[in-house]
Amino acid sequence: MAQFVMEFERPLVDLEEKLQELKRLDLAADLELGEEIKELEAEIEQLRVTLYQALSPWERVQVARHPGRPKTQDYVEALCSEVVELNGDRLYGDDEAIFAGLATIAGHRCMVIGHRKGKSTKENIRRNFGSPHPEGLRKARRAMLMAEKFGLPVVTFVDTQGAYPGVEAEERGQAWAIAENLATLSALRVPIVAVGIGEGGSGGALAIGFGDRLIMLENAYYSVISPEACASILYKDAGRAPETASCLRMTAEDLVGLGIADEIIAEPLGGAHRDPSAVFAAVERAVIAALSELCVQDADALVERRFERLSAIGVYAEGE
Amino acid sequence: MAQFVMEFERPLVDLEEKLQELKRLDLAADLELGEEIKELEAEIEQLRVTLYQALSPWERVQVARHPGRPKTQDYVEALCSEVVELNGDRLYGDDEAIFAGLATIAGHRCMVIGHRKGKSTKENIRRNFGSPHPEGLRKARRAMLMAEKFGLPVVTFVDTQGAYPGVEAEERGQAWAIAENLATLSALRVPIVAVGIGEGGSGGALAIGFGDRLIMLENAYYSVISPEACASILYKDAGRAPETASCLRMTAEDLVGLGIADEIIAEPLGGAHRDPSAVFAAVERAVIAALSELCVQDADALVERRFERLSAIGVYAEGE
Amino acid sequence: MPISDWFKAREGRRYTVASAEKSADLPDGVWLKCPSCKHTIYQGVLEENVYVCPHCAHHFELYAHARVLSLADEGTFEETESTLSSLDPLRFSANKPYTESLASAKDKTGMAEAVVTGRALLGGHPVVLGAMDFRFVGASMGSAVGEKIARAFALAEAERRGLVLVIASGGARMQEGMLSLMQMAKTSAAAERLSRARVPYISILTNPTYGGVTASFPVLADIILAEPGALIGFTGPRVIEQTIRQSLPKGFQTAEFLEEHGMIDEVVPRTELASTVARVLDYLSGPEVPLAATGAACRVPASTGGDE
Amino acid sequence: MPISDWFKAREGRRYTVASAEKSADLPDGVWLKCPSCKHTIYQGVLEENVYVCPHCAHHFELYAHARVLSLADEGTFEETESTLSSLDPLRFSANKPYTESLASAKDKTGMAEAVVTGRALLGGHPVVLGAMDFRFVGASMGSAVGEKIARAFALAEAERRGLVLVIASGGARMQEGMLSLMQMAKTSAAAERLSRARVPYISILTNPTYGGVTASFPVLADIILAEPGALIGFTGPRVIEQTIRQSLPKGFQTAEFLEEHGMIDEVVPRTELASTVARVLDYLSGPEVPLAATGAACRVPASTGGDE
Ligand SMILES: [Zn+2]
Ligand SMILES: [Zn+2]
């Protein structure tokens, strides 16, 4: 498949294409274009750094949504062994927008839960583009409770535009399913490590997206509302999303600043899709470090700290 | 509405009609038919006793299914005050075949749960003839757990032909819903008093139909399979249900004999529909007596005794 | 005392009572028009009827303080955390600065934030009582609302008072970004604690209840009531229509629709809310001694007969 | 050792292994015909393949003892409660006396009842292992089956062994009337106890699993697996068709249908069952010290690295 190009990286891609052309010439005609190639490579390198090293929030959103970006199932494949997938909520259905399974990460036996976007249109339709219905969230909750019952830490991969906004989802209690997951996560007696790997869309993300640690990939975002929806409300113009993306403070760095995320995992220049295996390794290191710290803690203390951590979130004034 | 006549009581009804006729003649023509009337009354009284005092199991099944027989909502109306009905399973729907509600019985605050048959065709369609879908059983389970949470004893009224045998019921996990109720009832930390008031059809009945006490109305039945279905299987002839009704040992008396039911409440001659208020009073006395005994018990001991009671049910051989 | 007198007694605070009262600056005895049946109604009559139209049962919007007073036993409501209010942690200024929205909401309502909480008696039961006010930035939940709700849960737990919350909300408060989203987790955590402490919690969903607020503490109640016709959901109807490109079924997301779909316990007219809540508390509010300490299986032993 | 040798070593017991073995009295090397793809298969091949057709993956009926042996680590299965058997408490004699049905079932199967239970190792994990045999009165659950199942749960709890049960059943055993129905409550109570003790329980639903048995202990497992194509439900398809007066959707009540409807965890071919169950037990079977005693949040502390 042709490389997907985000708008802001067009100038870089143009240069890269030119470089490829030069290299082909070099080989084909055996000409001495070495100097030109070297110069162009230097130029590209500089542009790459300029372009990628200080991405705007809106540009990061583009990177977070890049179709080639590693998805939950890529992390499961790269990090996990001995996987046993769990299906179904035992109430209504099995939602393929949510993955849940027993899995081993570097020797740690865990319960892994994640939003599951597809990699092709066909797969995306089956997985509803990673937007869960209530039965998906209830499957996740069943997995959480099983993890608690058998003393397995929970690792979640967050990557969704949000819970699915459809008639049937409302009929089957989307709000109820989300709220019950929040309550369950808040008091679960095993460690919970959440990793923001791409999109973190509102309640549908939060329903599996917090715990004792929140690790964010550098270009992952997490937001109360999508920048487009926010722009639609405020300006009646979704096209002004680049502005609202900044206002909403939804980047990994913002989240650390707000005391909501703990840690940022650097991505390769250009985004996680440029070198997935480096990202997998970094995520594995971070998850293992978190688990090593959390798993030996006393369960009561763990839950109490999580509650205090949640309770402390918020900025407000008191007094007349 | 015309009095519903069960087949076996036809001779009695014929005599009763004749008596009414005589009485009308007496009044209209001012004739002295007093003697004839008295004789007929005596004859009727004797036939009534002969007919009703030793009902066969199959005749009891007819009484248990009598359309005029008091239903769960009649018991709720007669016995309960301050009722707060609970609706919905908070997962999928609200099933009108099941009633659940907070209610006060002679000063005892309880959780009341019951199968709810309709009294008219229209109501029966809405209530699915008292045959629950999974969402009804899950509403019942929610009520059980709420009762446990707030220390309220559970009183159930059992009256169903069985869980609904439909495609959607299977799709939404009828077996799962029943089994979860059984597990929940077995370990619930509050007293459970079940009252068999009419039909006790298999798993759909059992899902709210056992606990620390099982009180059976004299003509209520409780069976692993309907006598018709049993006859269909064994004889390929549902018409032989009168025979299988006897074989299956499904009457109140049988259940006490088998150690499954604790107590039988006598019904007026002819069945509960002949004098509902007497039945309500007797049921109230029995329920209150059971609650008075159970509510002061230690919760751990209560649950342990219930488990032992269940574990002891069964007749089998051991040893070569 | 009637609600209007109570407000007069607290001069200096510019509380208003209900949406129909926008003509309250007119002299006493003013007539109001019902937007549903178009009848004109004497304001005093409307007030006596908890702002429910006596002709068509239309439920007028009822502001937070009036709501609280409509539920509490007369003279028993004592507000808590009344000075807790929002800041502007994100310096949010897309289109209109957040600080301006807050200032105008305060000015319009006389409230410090979108939720009022306090102690009260309700049907004789000690409760913590709260209500949200849609006029205040759409009763959206930012840090201050989340904190007040969380404190209401904590107070209910600490004093073992039943918790009664009247909900209305447009959802999360986007001007506080992720701080707002996290209030969903924070308030749900508080609800879970109260639940484990087995203190009863009743929520009353009113028109409108939407978004991230719906998907947190309101639906975690032991008993969920709703006012007739109230619109309640996670995603708003317009967004759903845009997503599915179909028009929505009739009655979609009404309280009645939700009852049919098993999500709420009962649709209760406003005029019967106080008595219904009191009745529920009769069942779920027990003596102060926790069950575990007595060992007995039931809250009300047989010997006491039941009527406290 | 191969299953057939194991049986030879236990002479005097007339266990049979699987439905295809009805030609087992023929000399070694007999060929069998697959009812699905009509291929003829060498019996030894079929046996090696756990009675799954190597051509079309048709799953032949597998009898209880063979089933247990197919899952247990070689030579580790020790039967328990092997003498527990049914009586005729109702003196049930409609059409055919129950005692006759029992006698012919015993004769046909060489089993005392429709379920075999015992201790075993499975992937190295100590387990309690059980399997039901459809040939024995349709593997229906009467008092004896209920008691054996309940004792299997109790044994698993007492020795903190994972419980693995392979289900097949036509439902309750009507010849025992209400005693049979109550086995549903009794076995579910046993399952609830094991669950509260946090001992893992895996059920494997095979063809057919129906009626009151489905609606009790089998679906209360932590992990529910099923064999491909197995028919599983509460009400049988004919009764449903009679009720709704419509024909049933294609694939209705198959294992795959149930997975789609969220009721089971995974459809697993018979050849992979032992390894799948072993893998699940790797996760859910912990050390003998209960979690509460250590205080630590997780079963496997980080320092141990994981591989036991
Ligand atoms: Zn009106
Ligand atoms: Zn084949």
Side-chain angles (χ1 to χ4, degrees):
Chain A
M1 126 181 134
Q3 174 78 24
F4 179 87
V5 178
M6 297 173 283
E7 206 183 299
F8 70 88
E9 57 180 6
R10 172 59 57 198
L12 180 65
V13 171
D14 288 347
L15 284 188
E16 280 172 337
E17 278 166 5
K18 198 170 173 191
L19 176 66
Q20 293 309 318
E21 214 173 302
L22 276 181
K23 284 184 173 173
R24 268 198 303 279
L25 281 177
D26 189 9
L27 289 168
D30 213 34
L31 295 172
E32 263 301 337
L33 292 172
E35 275 307 304
E36 283 83 347
I37 287 176
K38 264 185 199 151
E39 271 173 33
L40 192 53
E41 278 174 342
E43 193 182 337
I44 285 171
E45 200 42 42
Q46 204 183 329
L47 180 58
R48 191 198 308 279
V49 172
T50 320
L51 202 64
Y52 287 135
Q53 234 172 19
L55 292 178
S56 74
W58 178 244
E59 286 163 352
R60 289 192 196 277
V61 170
Q62 304 316 303
V63 176
R65 292 173 179 171
H66 192 287
R69 191 171 176 84
K71 311 223 178 332
T72 291
Q73 52 271 44
D74 298 313
Y75 287 91
V76 170
E77 204 171 299
L79 274 63
C80 301
S81 61
E82 314 294 319
V83 177
V84 181
E85 187 173 346
L86 308 181
N87 287 301
D89 61 354
R90 296 206 185 163
L91 296 164
Y92 180 84
D94 182 58
D95 184 350
E96 299 206 25
I98 292 280
F99 168 83
L102 301 161
T104 305
I105 303 178
H108 279 268
R109 290 183 181 132
C110 308
M111 181 67 79
V112 172
I113 301 171
H115 301 98
R116 190 158 50 178
K117 290 180 176 172
K119 299 185 157 199
S120 61
T121 306
K122 195 178 156 194
E123 194 192 350
N124 256 323
I125 287 166
R126 186 154 59 90
R127 306 210 184 284
N128 204 30
F129 295 82
S131 285
H133 278 72
E135 48 272 25
L137 300 176
R138 290 179 180 132
K139 168 168 71 175
R141 181 159 181 264
R142 181 167 81 83
M144 294 169 198
L145 294 174
M146 192 185 296
E148 180 178 59
K149 180 174 176 183
F150 294 105
L152 299 166
V154 175
V155 176
T156 74
F157 294 105
V158 181
D159 188 15
T160 184
Q161 293 201 14
Y164 185 67
V167 172
E168 294 212 330
E170 293 287 317
E171 287 178 342
R172 296 200 289 271
Q174 192 71 282
W176 278 252
I178 293 171
E180 271 156 31
N181 280 21
L182 302 184
T184 301
L185 280 173
S186 76
L188 206 71
R189 294 176 59 77
V190 287
I192 304 162
V193 177
V195 188
I197 59 171
E199 298 193 85
S202 187
L206 192 65
I208 65 165
F210 70 98
D212 303 300
R213 292 284 185 282
L214 176 58
I215 299 167
M216 293 290 290
L217 260 60
E218 186 184 350
N219 295 312
Y221 79 84
Y222 210 151
S223 180
V224 67
I225 186 170
S226 76
E228 290 93 334
C230 184
S232 287
I233 293 170
L234 293 179
Y235 300 114
K236 316 274 175 225
D237 177 8
R240 295 181 70 173
E243 292 168 57
T244 52
S246 300
C247 293
L248 287 165
R249 305 288 157 104
M250 55 202 277
T251 67
E253 209 180 323
D254 291 328
L255 261 70
V256 169
L258 292 167
I260 294 167
D262 303 275
E263 190 178 339
I264 298 173
I265 293 179
E267 296 186 23
L269 265 189
H273 59 285
R274 294 277 181 141
D275 185 1
S277 57
V279 175
F280 298 145
V283 169
E284 178 169 319
R285 275 193 305 275
V287 168
I288 288 303
L291 289 180
S292 302
E293 208 180 298
L294 295 166
C295 282
V296 294
Q297 294 186 14
D298 171 78
D300 287 330
L302 183 80
V303 172
E304 190 58 34
R305 257 193 298 273
R306 190 185 310 141
F307 183 75
E308 280 161 16
R309 175 184 158 99
L310 282 174
S311 300
I313 296 176
V315 177
Y316 49 85
E318 274 188 280
E320 301 288 345
Chain B
M1 125 182 136
Q3 173 77 26
F4 178 89
V5 178
M6 297 173 283
E7 207 185 299
F8 70 89
E9 57 181 5
R10 173 58 60 197
L12 181 66
V13 171
D14 288 347
L15 284 188
E16 279 172 336
E17 277 167 6
K18 198 170 173 189
L19 175 67
Q20 294 307 319
E21 215 174 302
L22 277 179
K23 283 185 173 171
R24 269 198 304 278
L25 281 177
D26 189 10
L27 290 169
D30 211 37
L31 295 170
E32 265 301 337
L33 293 172
E35 274 308 302
E36 283 83 346
I37 287 177
K38 264 185 200 152
E39 271 173 34
L40 192 53
E41 280 176 341
E43 194 183 336
I44 285 172
E45 200 42 44
Q46 203 184 329
L47 181 58
R48 191 198 307 282
V49 172
T50 319
L51 203 63
Y52 287 135
Q53 233 172 19
L55 292 178
S56 75
W58 177 244
E59 285 164 353
R60 290 192 196 277
V61 169
Q62 305 313 304
V63 176
R65 292 174 178 170
H66 193 287
R69 190 171 177 86
K71 313 227 179 326
T72 290
Q73 52 270 46
D74 298 312
Y75 287 90
V76 170
E77 205 171 297
L79 274 61
C80 301
S81 61
E82 317 292 320
V83 177
V84 181
E85 187 174 345
L86 307 180
N87 286 303
D89 61 355
R90 296 205 185 163
L91 295 164
Y92 180 83
D94 181 57
D95 183 352
E96 298 206 24
I98 292 279
F99 168 83
L102 302 160
T104 305
I105 303 179
H108 279 268
R109 290 185 181 130
C110 308
M111 181 68 78
V112 172
I113 300 171
H115 302 98
R116 190 158 51 178
K117 289 179 177 174
K119 299 183 158 203
S120 61
T121 306
K122 197 179 156 193
E123 194 193 350
N124 256 323
I125 287 166
R126 186 155 58 89
R127 307 210 184 284
N128 204 31
F129 295 83
S131 285
H133 278 73
E135 46 272 24
L137 300 175
R138 289 178 181 133
K139 168 168 71 175
R141 182 159 181 263
R142 181 167 82 84
M144 294 169 197
L145 295 174
M146 191 185 294
E148 180 178 59
K149 180 173 177 184
F150 294 105
L152 299 167
V154 175
V155 176
T156 73
F157 294 106
V158 181
D159 188 16
T160 184
Q161 292 201 13
Y164 186 67
V167 172
E168 293 211 332
E170 293 287 317
E171 286 178 343
R172 296 200 289 272
Q174 191 72 280
W176 279 251
I178 292 171
E180 271 156 30
N181 280 20
L182 302 183
T184 301
L185 281 173
S186 76
L188 206 71
R189 294 175 60 77
V190 288
I192 304 162
V193 176
V195 188
I197 58 171
E199 298 194 84
S202 186
L206 192 66
I208 65 164
F210 71 96
D212 303 300
R213 293 284 185 281
L214 176 59
I215 299 168
M216 293 291 290
L217 260 60
E218 186 185 347
N219 296 312
Y221 79 83
Y222 208 151
S223 180
V224 67
I225 186 171
S226 77
E228 291 94 333
C230 183
S232 287
I233 293 172
L234 292 180
Y235 300 114
K236 316 275 174 222
D237 177 6
R240 295 181 70 173
E243 293 167 56
T244 52
S246 300
C247 293
L248 287 164
R249 306 287 157 104
M250 54 202 278
T251 68
E253 210 181 321
D254 291 328
L255 262 71
V256 170
L258 292 168
I260 294 167
D262 301 276
E263 191 179 339
I264 298 172
I265 293 179
E267 295 186 24
L269 265 188
H273 59 286
R274 294 278 178 140
D275 185 1
S277 56
V279 174
F280 298 146
V283 168
E284 179 170 317
R285 277 194 303 276
V287 168
I288 288 304
L291 289 179
S292 302
E293 209 181 299
L294 295 166
C295 281
V296 293
Q297 295 186 15
D298 171 76
D300 287 331
L302 183 80
V303 172
E304 189 57 34
R305 258 193 299 273
R306 191 186 308 140
F307 183 76
E308 282 163 14
R309 177 184 156 98
L310 281 174
S311 299
I313 295 176
V315 177
Y316 49 85
E318 272 189 281
E320 302 287 347
Chain C
M1 63 186 151
I3 285 164
S4 51
D5 292 356
W6 186 88
F7 283 122
K8 278 178 205 146
R10 285 165 59 98
E11 51 168 284
R13 297 220 170 180
R14 288 157 302 156
Y15 292 141
T16 47
V17 175
S19 54
E21 223 193 18
K22 52 181 169 279
S23 323
D25 50 343
L26 293 175
D28 244 16
V30 69
W31 294 76
L32 297 163
K33 192 170 191 175
C34 171
S36 174
C37 70
K38 315 295 179 196
H39 272 90
T40 48
I41 314 155
Y42 181 62
Q43 194 197 320
V45 169
L46 199 56
E47 195 174 292
E48 285 295 311
N49 208 36
V50 221
Y51 286 86
V52 175
C53 171
H55 304 287
C56 73
H58 171 74
H59 284 53
F60 288 80
E61 187 186 346
L62 190 58
Y63 301 155
H65 278 90
R67 173 68 77 173
V68 155
L69 296 176
S70 78
L71 291 171
D73 296 350
E74 207 176 309
T76 64
F77 182 72
E78 291 168 25
E79 193 172 346
T80 53
E81 317 290 358
S82 64
T83 65
L84 211 153
S85 66
S86 289
L87 293 173
D88 180 19
L90 269 48
R91 300 171 194 275
F92 191 95
S93 61
N95 198 21
K96 181 178 169 188
Y98 178 37
T99 47
E100 269 182 33
S101 306
L102 287 172
S104 82
K106 285 181 186 180
D107 195 55
K108 184 167 62 184
T109 61
M111 298 169 69
E113 246 304 335
V115 62
V116 172
T117 58
R119 290 185 188 83
L121 294 179
L122 201 166
H125 295 280
V127 294
V128 171
L129 182 56
M132 301 174 84
D133 200 303
F134 197 74
R135 297 167 304 160
F136 198 107
V137 197
S140 54
M141 178 160 68
S143 301
V145 168
E147 180 67 18
K148 284 189 82 164
I149 294 288
R151 289 191 189 180
F153 277 100
L155 182 64
E157 188 183 344
E159 301 186 356
R160 294 197 72 80
R161 287 166 174 261
L163 177 64
V164 180
L165 294 179
V166 185
I167 318 297
S169 181
R173 189 169 293 175
M174 64 184 174
Q175 296 92 333
E176 295 191 25
M178 276 300 286
L179 290 175
S180 169
L181 187 72
M182 292 306 290
Q183 302 307 309
M184 289 170 63
K186 173 172 168 172
T187 55
S188 298
E192 178 68 15
R193 288 238 157 168
L194 190 70
S195 176
R196 291 182 183 219
R198 305 206 285 184
V199 173
Y201 163 34
I202 299 160
S203 69
I204 301 166
L205 312 184
T206 72
N207 189 53
T209 296
Y210 271 99
V213 168
T214 311
S216 62
F217 67 93
V219 299
L220 295 170
D222 296 302
I223 299 284
I224 305 176
L225 307 175
E227 286 195 340
L231 291 173
I232 301 154
F234 179 61
T235 308
R238 254 169 310 172
V239 174
I240 297 177
E241 276 182 331
Q242 283 164 15
T243 306
I244 65 171
R245 295 166 197 283
Q246 284 175 13
S247 57
L248 296 172
K250 198 164 170 281
F252 184 64
Q253 293 185 328
T254 59
E256 293 76 11
F257 172 93
L258 285 169
E259 187 180 359
E260 226 171 81
H261 283 86
M263 297 300 152
I264 63 175
D265 283 294
E266 214 183 344
V267 178
V268 180
R270 187 180 291 164
T271 45
E272 295 167 26
L273 273 178
S275 60
T276 303
V277 171
R279 186 174 280 191
V280 170
L281 290 170
D282 287 343
Y283 286 94
L284 307 187
S285 277
E288 286 194 28
V289 183
L291 252 61
T294 70
C298 296
R299 215 174 253 283
V300 184
S303 53
T304 70
D307 288 317
E308 292 174 334
Chain D
M1 63 185 149
I3 285 166
S4 52
D5 292 356
W6 187 87
F7 283 121
K8 279 178 203 146
R10 284 166 58 95
E11 52 168 284
R13 298 220 169 184
R14 288 157 305 155
Y15 293 141
T16 46
V17 176
S19 55
E21 223 195 18
K22 54 183 168 280
S23 323
D25 50 343
L26 294 174
D28 243 17
V30 69
W31 294 76
L32 298 162
K33 193 169 190 176
C34 170
S36 175
C37 71
K38 315 296 179 196
H39 273 89
T40 47
I41 314 155
Y42 180 62
Q43 193 196 319
V45 170
L46 200 55
E47 195 175 292
E48 285 297 310
N49 208 35
V50 222
Y51 287 87
V52 176
C53 171
H55 304 286
C56 73
H58 170 74
H59 283 53
F60 288 80
E61 186 187 347
L62 190 57
Y63 302 154
H65 278 90
R67 172 69 77 174
V68 155
L69 295 177
S70 77
L71 291 171
D73 296 351
E74 205 177 311
T76 63
F77 182 72
E78 290 168 28
E79 193 172 346
T80 53
E81 318 290 357
S82 64
T83 65
L84 211 153
S85 66
S86 290
L87 294 173
D88 181 18
L90 269 48
R91 297 172 197 275
F92 191 95
S93 62
N95 199 19
K96 181 178 168 187
Y98 179 37
T99 47
E100 268 181 36
S101 306
L102 288 172
S104 81
K106 285 181 187 180
D107 194 55
K108 185 167 59 183
T109 62
M111 298 169 69
E113 246 303 336
V115 62
V116 172
T117 59
R119 292 184 187 84
L121 293 178
L122 202 166
H125 295 281
V127 294
V128 171
L129 182 56
M132 301 174 82
D133 199 303
F134 196 75
R135 296 168 303 160
F136 199 107
V137 197
S140 54
M141 178 161 68
S143 300
V145 168
E147 180 68 17
K148 284 189 82 165
I149 294 289
R151 288 191 189 180
F153 277 100
L155 181 64
E157 188 184 344
E159 301 186 357
R160 294 197 74 78
R161 286 166 174 262
L163 177 64
V164 180
L165 294 179
V166 185
I167 319 295
S169 181
R173 188 169 294 175
M174 62 183 175
Q175 296 93 332
E176 296 191 24
M178 276 300 286
L179 289 175
S180 168
L181 187 72
M182 293 305 291
Q183 301 308 309
M184 289 170 63
K186 173 172 166 171
T187 56
S188 297
E192 178 69 15
R193 288 240 155 168
L194 190 70
S195 177
R196 291 184 183 217
R198 306 207 284 184
V199 173
Y201 164 33
I202 300 160
S203 68
I204 301 165
L205 311 184
T206 71
N207 189 54
T209 297
Y210 272 99
V213 167
T214 311
S216 62
F217 66 93
V219 299
L220 295 169
D222 296 301
I223 299 284
I224 305 176
L225 307 176
E227 286 194 341
L231 291 171
I232 301 154
F234 179 59
T235 307
R238 254 170 310 173
V239 173
I240 297 176
E241 275 183 331
Q242 282 164 15
T243 307
I244 63 171
R245 293 167 199 282
Q246 284 175 11
S247 57
L248 297 172
K250 198 164 171 281
F252 183 65
Q253 293 186 326
T254 58
E256 293 76 11
F257 173 92
L258 285 169
E259 187 180 1
E260 228 171 80
H261 283 86
M263 296 301 151
I264 63 175
D265 283 294
E266 213 183 343
V267 177
V268 180
R270 187 180 292 164
T271 44
E272 294 166 27
L273 273 177
S275 60
T276 303
V277 171
R279 185 174 281 190
V280 170
L281 290 171
D282 287 342
Y283 286 95
L284 308 187
S285 278
E288 287 194 26
V289 184
L291 251 60
T294 70
C298 296
R299 213 174 255 283
V300 184
S303 54
T304 72
D307 287 316
E308 294 172 335

